Amino acid sequence: MSTTPDDPSHSPTDVPAGGGPVGGPTPGDPPYPDTTHPGPQHPDVARKKGIRHTRAGATWTGLVIGIIVLVLLLVFILQNLDSATLELFAWEFTLPLGVSLLLASIAGAVIMALAGGIRIIQIRRAANRQQRLNTNY
């Protein structure tokens, strides 16, 4: 380890970054910062709009989230392998607890999808009826 004044590891602590011992620029620094622009920019880039949201990006995000959810479900099912007896009317089933909870959540999702689908059909019919009334006048 060198203790000569040229050793950068022994510089004074009050020297600002990029400055010499007196606080001025070092010989390697340019006299002013580079403020030149690379050239004309696309209007979206100039307005800082960037890349817009795409369907492919949304699909990719949905797939990644779906894969993560499936892995979590698999871990949940594998950790809950104790048998549970289910009774539905006159039938009796014995399934692992994780599988039975998964089936219950799927049934709940199907019921919610049906309710949402019925509401979408109602709104579409009302919109079509309103459009027909507006075109008659």
Side-chain angles (χ1 to χ4, degrees):
M1 179 171 208
S2 173
T3 58
T4 61
D6 295 333
D7 187 12
S9 66
H10 293 292
S11 63
T13 57
D14 59 343
V15 175
V22 187
T26 59
D29 291 342
Y32 51 88
D34 185 21
T35 58
T36 60
H37 295 288
Q41 295 179 338
H42 189 273
D44 285 345
V45 175
R47 287 183 294 226
K48 300 192 186 288
K49 286 195 175 186
I51 297 173
R52 294 186 177 264
H53 180 75
T54 62
R55 289 182 188 171
T59 303
W60 183 83
T61 302
L63 286 174
V64 169
I65 290 172
I67 289 171
I68 291 170
V69 168
L70 285 175
V71 168
L72 291 174
L73 282 173
L74 179 65
V75 169
F76 175 78
I77 289 171
L78 291 176
Q79 287 181 344
N80 291 291
L81 290 177
D82 297 335
S83 292
T85 303
L86 304 173
E87 295 179 16
L88 179 65
F89 301 117
W91 299 301
E92 192 172 303
F93 303 101
T94 302
L95 292 172
L97 181 62
V99 174
S100 61
L101 289 174
L102 177 65
L103 291 176
S105 64
I106 290 172
V110 167
I111 291 170
M112 291 301 297
L114 288 174
I118 290 170
R119 182 65 180 144
I120 288 171
I121 291 171
Q122 286 176 341
I123 292 172
R124 190 173 292 159
R125 283 182 178 173
N128 289 338
R129 188 177 322 121
Q130 187 68 36
Q131 186 177 11
R132 279 194 309 266
L133 290 173
N134 288 340
T135 56
N136 289 338
Y137 289 104

